[in-house]
Amino acid sequence: MALPDTAPLLVGLLLLFHAFGAWAIVEVTMEDKVEVMAGETAQITCMFTTDEGLGGTTIQWFYVLPNKERQRIYNKEPMHEAAEQNTLFTHRISLNVNGTAAVLAIRDVGVRDNLEFICVIKTLTPEEAEGRTQLQVFKSPTFPTIEAVETGISVNEEAPSKIGSCRVKNGYPKPNITWYRNNMPLRNTPPEVVVTSSTTIESSGLFSVQSELTMKVKKEHKDAVFYCEVIYFVPGATKMTESQHINITVYYLPTEVNIWVESPKGKIKEGDTLELRCDNNGNYPSSITTIKHQNSEYSVENKTMVRTNVKRLDGGVYECTFEETDNFDEISGSTKVSVNYLESAVITPKDSIAVMEGEELKASCNALSSLQTSTTWFKNEKLVSKGNTLSVKSATLETAGMYKCVVTVPEMEGMKTSSTLQVNVKGSPQILGPDVQEVETYETTVNLTCSATGFPAPTIMWTTSDGKNLNALQTETEDGAQSVVTFKITSNVKVFCNASNDFGSKVVEFNIKTILNTTLTTITSMPTISTTTRSTTTISSDTVVHTTPTATTTTSTNTITDDTVIYNTSTTNTTIPSTNITFINDTVQTPTKSPNIKKESKGFVIAIIIIAIFLLAILGSVLYFLYKKGRICGRSGKQDFSKRKSSKDNIVVEMKSDNTEEAILLGVNGEKQQPNDQ
């Protein structure tokens, strides 16, 4: 090294300057503070000037200990520089000199590096200068956490109650906590508001702060929002963060109690289910709510009362009472309940009334109700009168019957009551139906029914034209009596129904005509053509007439009069089997299925029969002509027929009863023929 060779020269220059009093001028300029976030690299600049130039300048860096002593951490001489060993910064610092600027770099700064640093500049002369810079290290705290009290707070508490606590951790410098209620800051103003804070210095040198808010709670705080605000510092600025918002449960005594009918909505009637509800504008937990009916002293310890199938006596005043169990303070409210009613309908006269035919009928119907009512009268489900009074000027037998009085409340659906009145009209009996009734039947047993009206209920007797009394079953009906008789008949007979009571009698006649069942068979001259039909036939002394067939088939029938030629072959006949006939006044007549035959329809039936026979005759003639010409049945040429002298005795009618297989052959004049005379 050249230092030993130049040492005498430097010593000499020093003595020379000292001798002449010419000292060098040294100036140092530094910032008051340098701010940096923890974990970053801090750079502290030392600006200096000297008349001697840079060749003989020595730069030294120190920091101030808590006891105000200096601790050198770096030394730079003209020929040598190094960091001091065994210091806080030995391995984290470096020095960069650029002209007259010496920059000390401290890597990975922490809150413990928050110190005052000194830069000292020395020259060859004894003159030196220094500057100081405060290093400020910042660390942002964690997000604040807030906890509210879990239990409710009573407004009756005399001392302030805890609202919640707020905590923030690991900040530097120490963060500040401010409480807010509904966006308004809360200041420490005992005893209304008390804010208590505590600070903890962690092993890392960081600060953790906890703040607790206590205050006197009022009713208006029940919906208040509380939170805490944390203010902390960063290089060159101040920042703020808010905690989550919290609410508290405030217990307060009510100032008003309300009770009301929850259901039914609108007016109440007997039979309804009544539900009462009670509530208040407080929320005190230690309390009892009671609903009581003042008229009956019936009560429940609940905010709801339900009464089923209410009666009018269940109406009245219902009171709800709130009692605080700590000091036994009470507050109550009440409501009035009206239960509307409709009593049973009462008809005067009661149950039944009997009036003479032609007299006036009067009855009244009333039902006691708490509301306006409407009354209507019905008979057989038909409206007959409106109003409380039923009045008929002149009663007839048709007036008799069951009347129903219905009383309703128009303004309330479902309120209805009814009662019945049996009206009886005194008078001679009347029998339903005509005075003379025709009955035609082919049965051997008949059932006859006779229904009579009248009051008192008539007695019905059955007799025949030959003076016999018939046993019958009689039953009473709503407006009289009904009798049914069953008896056997062998011939035409008249039966009389006699209905009588205290005021007279009435007789109805039944003319019963019996109808015999027979079989009619007719043989005609059409060869090889056989048709079958079921028909109703009437036979006079000179005429055979067919009615309209009941089963439609192709039929060939000739009208037969005197001097008619009958062509007989072994294979040609027209048969009408199973035809029922009846002899009435020398006329053969078949019955219909109904036992009652209306005389008005006979002319119409006869006209149809004549038309049908005429059409059948035409069809038979056409078929016969075709047969002779060989157009049908595979024949050709003419066929000779043996002629027989026509006579009215050659027309034969076979009559067979449905109940026997015996056949009777009659001539057209009604003479009986032997079978071998056919």
Side-chain angles (χ1 to χ4, degrees):
M1 294 179 62
L3 184 57
D5 298 332
T6 59
L9 179 59
L10 292 174
V11 174
L13 290 174
L14 180 60
L15 294 175
L16 179 62
F17 282 115
H18 182 70
F20 289 97
W23 299 96
I25 300 175
V26 181
E27 293 182 357
V28 176
T29 303
M30 295 182 67
E31 296 176 323
D32 292 336
K33 61 181 178 180
V34 172
E35 297 178 342
V36 65
M37 292 297 295
E40 296 180 355
T41 298
Q43 292 184 343
I44 304 175
T45 302
C46 178
M47 302 296 295
F48 62 92
T49 59
T50 177
D51 295 340
E52 297 181 0
L54 301 177
T57 303
T58 299
I59 303 173
Q60 295 179 334
W61 284 90
F62 300 85
Y63 71 91
V64 180
L65 295 172
N67 58 5
K68 305 301 182 179
E69 293 184 358
R70 296 183 178 187
Q71 172 67 51
R72 190 170 68 179
I73 58 174
Y74 202 92
N75 181 45
K76 178 180 179 352
E77 296 179 353
M79 303 303 297
H80 174 76
E81 65 177 289
E84 297 293 334
Q85 299 298 315
N86 301 322
T87 68
L88 296 175
F89 305 98
T90 300
H91 304 290
R92 295 189 295 127
I93 60 174
S94 62
L95 182 63
N96 181 22
V97 179
N98 184 9
T100 59
V103 179
L104 179 67
I106 306 175
R107 296 180 300 275
D108 192 21
V109 296
V111 296
R112 297 187 182 277
D113 300 334
N114 202 67
L115 302 168
E116 185 180 26
F117 290 85
I118 303 173
C119 173
V120 177
I121 304 298
K122 294 182 179 181
T123 62
L124 295 176
T125 62
E127 292 297 325
E128 64 180 43
E130 66 180 40
R132 293 173 179 255
T133 294
Q134 178 67 43
L135 178 61
Q136 293 186 351
V137 180
F138 297 88
K139 175 67 169 65
S140 298
T142 59
F143 188 82
T145 58
I146 187 170
E147 293 181 359
V149 291
E150 296 181 356
T151 58
I153 304 171
S154 173
V155 296
N156 293 341
E157 297 290 339
E158 295 182 358
S161 301
K162 180 180 178 180
I163 304 299
S165 62
C166 181
R167 182 178 177 86
V168 63
K169 296 181 178 180
N170 300 327
Y172 196 92
K174 185 182 75 170
N176 297 320
I177 296 177
T178 303
W179 282 92
Y180 283 79
R181 183 185 68 227
N182 296 334
N183 298 325
M184 297 296 294
L186 295 173
R187 306 302 178 188
N188 190 23
T189 56
E192 297 296 329
V193 179
V194 178
V195 179
T196 305
S197 298
S198 61
T199 303
T200 302
I201 301 176
E202 307 293 342
S203 59
S204 60
L206 300 176
F207 293 96
S208 295
V209 180
Q210 179 170 325
S211 178
E212 186 176 283
L213 173 65
T214 58
M215 60 181 296
K216 280 193 170 184
V217 177
K218 300 178 181 179
K219 179 181 177 180
E220 54 265 27
H221 297 156
K222 63 184 180 67
D223 298 320
V225 176
F226 294 87
Y227 64 93
C228 63
E229 179 187 81
V230 176
I231 298 176
Y232 60 96
F233 304 96
V234 295
T238 301
K239 289 189 175 183
M240 178 270 296
T241 184
E242 289 183 1
S243 69
Q244 293 180 342
H245 294 189
I246 62 171
N247 298 97
I248 59 173
T249 301
V250 179
Y251 294 137
Y252 50 92
L253 294 174
T255 58
E256 183 181 9
V257 174
N258 295 315
I259 181 173
W260 68 92
V261 177
E262 181 67 19
S263 68
K265 302 298 183 183
K267 293 184 177 180
I268 306 168
K269 65 179 183 296
E270 286 188 325
D272 284 344
T273 296
L274 175 65
E275 181 179 352
L276 293 164
R277 291 282 183 89
C278 177
D279 204 357
N280 57 73
N281 60 352
N283 67 342
Y284 209 77
S286 303
S287 62
I288 298 176
T289 300
T290 305
I291 301 177
K292 180 176 66 175
H293 183 213
Q294 290 185 350
N295 295 1
S296 63
E297 298 300 322
Y298 174 76
S299 64
V300 293
E301 286 190 1
N302 204 323
K303 289 187 176 183
T304 301
M305 173 186 281
V306 177
R307 307 199 72 176
T308 59
N309 194 24
V310 294
K311 305 298 181 185
R312 70 190 73 177
L313 295 178
D314 295 326
V317 177
Y318 285 82
E319 183 181 41
C320 177
T321 302
F322 172 87
E323 181 181 10
E324 180 260 312
T325 56
D326 291 337
N327 300 317
F328 299 101
D329 294 332
E330 287 187 359
I331 185 172
S332 62
S334 63
T335 187
K336 186 175 182 180
V337 175
S338 297
V339 179
N340 295 288
Y341 59 89
L342 176 64
E343 293 186 353
S344 300
V346 177
I347 297 179
T348 305
K350 185 179 181 182
D351 297 334
S352 65
I353 181 175
V355 297
M356 287 298 298
E357 188 175 5
E359 290 184 353
E360 183 179 7
L361 166 66
K362 273 193 174 182
S364 63
C365 178
N366 294 282
L368 185 62
S369 176
S370 58
L371 299 172
Q372 187 68 34
T373 60
S374 174
T375 305
T376 50
W377 292 85
F378 294 87
K379 181 185 179 185
N380 298 330
E381 304 300 329
K382 294 183 179 179
L383 178 66
V384 295
S385 180
K386 292 184 178 180
N388 298 83
T389 303
L390 173 66
S391 178
V392 179
K393 294 296 183 182
S394 180
T396 64
L397 292 181
E398 288 74 18
T399 307
M402 182 67 71
Y403 289 79
K404 184 178 183 180
C405 164
V406 179
V407 181
T408 60
V409 177
E411 59 184 296
M412 288 198 70
E413 184 179 357
M415 288 190 72
K416 181 172 70 174
T417 182
S418 63
S419 185
T420 58
L421 173 67
Q422 176 64 45
V423 175
N424 300 310
V425 178
K426 299 178 181 179
S428 60
Q430 297 293 328
I431 297 178
L432 304 179
D435 293 344
V436 178
Q437 301 183 26
E438 301 290 338
V439 178
E440 295 180 350
T441 179
Y442 54 82
E443 302 291 344
T444 59
T445 301
V446 246
N447 294 329
L448 298 179
T449 301
C450 186
S451 298
T453 61
F455 185 83
T459 300
I460 299 176
M461 303 292 294
W462 293 89
T463 59
T464 63
S465 55
D466 54 2
K468 293 182 180 180
N469 292 326
L470 303 177
N471 294 326
L473 177 63
Q474 178 173 330
T475 57
E476 289 193 4
T477 61
E478 182 179 348
D479 52 358
Q482 184 182 74
S483 178
V484 178
V485 66
T486 303
F487 65 98
K488 294 183 178 180
I489 58 171
T490 57
S491 61
N492 296 348
V493 67
K494 292 183 179 181
V495 179
F496 303 96
C497 170
N498 187 336
S500 62
N501 63 7
D502 297 340
F503 298 97
S505 63
K506 177 71 174 179
V507 177
V508 168
E509 177 182 329
F510 294 88
N511 289 333
I512 304 174
K513 296 180 180 181
T514 60
I515 302 174
L516 299 179
N517 295 328
T518 61
T519 301
L520 174 63
T521 303
T522 303
I523 303 175
T524 63
S525 61
M526 293 305 297
T528 68
I529 299 174
S530 178
T531 60
T532 302
T533 184
R534 182 179 182 87
S535 60
T536 303
T537 307
T538 303
I539 305 175
S540 65
S541 60
D542 297 321
T543 307
V544 177
V545 182
H546 289 275
T547 64
T548 304
T550 60
T552 303
T553 60
T554 303
T555 307
S556 176
T557 307
N558 291 333
T559 303
I560 305 172
T561 61
D562 293 343
D563 301 328
T564 300
V565 178
I566 300 178
Y567 299 94
N568 294 316
T569 65
S570 60
T571 61
T572 304
N573 62 57
T574 300
T575 304
I576 305 175
S578 302
T579 303
N580 299 326
I581 65 173
T582 304
F583 292 92
I584 302 174
N585 297 331
D586 297 329
T587 301
V588 180
Q589 181 178 350
T590 61
T592 63
K593 292 183 179 180
S594 172
N596 296 325
I597 302 177
K598 297 183 180 179
K599 294 181 180 180
E600 294 80 6
S601 64
K602 290 183 179 180
F604 178 75
V605 172
I606 292 173
I608 294 178
I609 293 173
I610 293 172
I611 294 172
I613 292 176
F614 179 73
L615 295 175
L616 292 173
I618 294 174
L619 179 60
S621 300
V622 172
L623 293 174
Y624 176 71
F625 176 78
L626 296 175
Y627 178 79
K628 287 186 66 180
K629 294 296 184 178
R631 300 295 179 86
I632 59 176
C633 298
R635 295 193 43 148
S636 63
K638 297 181 179 180
Q639 175 70 35
D640 294 333
F641 296 90
S642 61
K643 297 182 179 179
R644 297 178 61 182
K645 183 179 179 180
S646 65
S647 173
K648 61 184 179 181
D649 293 334
N650 296 126
I651 301 174
V652 179
V653 177
E654 179 183 356
M655 301 178 63
K656 185 190 300 182
S657 172
D658 287 341
N659 300 324
T660 178
E661 296 180 355
E662 180 182 0
I664 301 174
L665 301 180
L666 298 176
V668 294
N669 291 326
E671 298 175 354
K672 182 180 293 187
Q673 301 289 329
Q674 295 300 323
N676 55 6
D677 294 335
Q678 296 186 58

